[in-house]
Amino acid sequence: MNLQIINPTTYPGWNELVLSNKDYSFFHSSNWANVLAESYNYKPLYFSLIDGKKLSCLIPLMGIKSLLTGQRGVSLPFTDYCRPVSNGDINFHDAFNGLIEYGKQAGWKYIEIRDGGDVFRKLPTSSFYYGHTLQLSQDEKKIFSGFKSNAKRNIRKAVKEGVEAKVCNTLDSVKEFYRLNCITRKMHGLPPQPYFFFRKIFEHIISKNHGIIVLASHKGRTIAGAVYFHFGNKSEYKYGASDKRYQHLRPNNLVMWSAIQWYCQNGYKSLSFGRTDHDHKGLVRFKDGWGAEKQIIKYYRYDFSRGAFVNGNFLQSENYNKAFHLMPLSLLKIIGYLLYKHTG
């Protein structure tokens, strides 16, 4: 199959082309490609087949070059899922052969596909996660009635305790979320993403009306927040953070409900809650509480040394989490600044 390699950050009308296929998501957009390419110097390689003004096939990749972790192609780095796009008439095995040939010439260690959908369903999976998708409508009462009792109770508790949520789109709100995000990442034993990554999110997504920040405050202090993206009529929950000292006020529930209301009022049809590790039972319960449909998100890895798709989970060791948890936040910020571009 003669696939064309496109750079969506420079291709005229890329977003409109993506929206011509019903299987689009925000992560196929040029906005997200710009964030990844400019933040970490990844090379956009979007293997595409364009029929007139419609996108018939798309397998988006970013080429990662790293002295620490090697060279590979990932679809897409720092992305919960990025399912290949097809009009239904495409032989994806033929299409994927084009990626393999490119990867061989580029010296890649592997190609990773983050959510293969039905296309890769018979192949070995490298890891899997849960996804949740809530169907939206302008009937907020109906949406609320579909929540589980604990979600409803926690929203009411937050309101009763005086927690207030606000939908924002300013750089100051991004900075405030970043402050909370650093606290949350340390609590989970992870370095925070570098600030310039969130600065690029503001530049290419939020300031372009493709994203919002929802912040919750109590007595004038910001205690929780989340970042959401939207594209076409679909929306995505991407990042959440909170100050654990205020967890009893249930601000995260009010943040999510405020985002759902905003997306309902603005005519969006769905909200994805992103991916969740299958063994993260607390977060799975939180997302289950919103009446969303749960799916399995499967990742696939083609290993060039074996010439085949491989099984296995490639997540980092728990020992790293323990070590990061003990480090001061100032050191974790430096580690995040230095290492995130190598992880992808």
Side-chain angles (χ1 to χ4, degrees), residues 11 13 56 77 117 124 164 185 260 267 298 337:
Y11 191 88
S56 298
E164 298 178 344
R185 299 288 284 185
I260 291 171
K298 295 180 179 180
Y337 176 85

Side-chain angles (χ1 to χ4, degrees), residues 17 72 75 140 154 160 171 185 207 222 232 314:
L17 192 61
R72 69 268 192 196
S75 180
E140 294 177 29
N154 289 334
K160 183 179 179 180
L171 183 58
R185 299 288 284 185
S207 71
T222 305
F314 302 94

Side-chain angles (χ1 to χ4, degrees), residues 169-181:
N169 60 2
T170 65
L171 183 58
D172 284 341
S173 64
V174 173
K175 292 177 179 177
E176 191 65 5
F177 175 81
Y178 175 73
R179 178 186 68 81
L180 287 171
N181 187 63

Side-chain angles (χ1 to χ4, degrees), residues 125-130 276-279 296-299 312-313:
T125 58
S126 61
S127 56
F128 76 93
Y129 306 87
Y130 289 125
T276 311
D277 289 350
H278 56 85
D279 56 354
I296 301 292
I297 299 173
K298 295 180 179 180
Y299 283 19
N313 196 309

Side-chain angles (χ1 to χ4, degrees), residues 76-96:
L76 284 169
F78 304 113
T79 303
D80 299 340
Y81 60 88
C82 193
R83 183 173 294 185
V85 167
S86 169
N87 65 1
D89 299 325
I90 302 301
N91 186 325
F92 259 101
H93 296 286
D94 289 343
F96 199 80

Side-chain angles (χ1 to χ4, degrees), residues 12 62 69 104 108 143 256 265 283 311 315 323 325:
M62 288 277 173
T69 56
K104 287 179 180 178
W108 287 350
I143 296 289
M256 189 65 76
Q265 292 164 7
L283 188 54
N311 288 308
L315 298 178
H325 184 74

Side-chain angles (χ1 to χ4, degrees), residues 16-25 54-58 84-88 234:
E16 289 74 18
L17 192 61
V18 169
L19 289 170
S20 71
N21 193 295
K22 62 180 178 60
D23 294 328
Y24 75 87
S25 78
K54 291 191 175 182
L55 190 62
S56 298
C57 178
L58 170 63
V85 167
S86 169
N87 65 1
K234 301 176 184 179

Side-chain angles (χ1 to χ4, degrees), residues 34-51:
N34 269 300
V35 169
L36 297 177
E38 293 184 16
S39 295
Y40 301 113
N41 200 30
Y42 298 152
K43 183 178 181 180
L45 300 163
Y46 284 42
F47 290 77
S48 311
L49 185 63
I50 300 171
D51 182 10

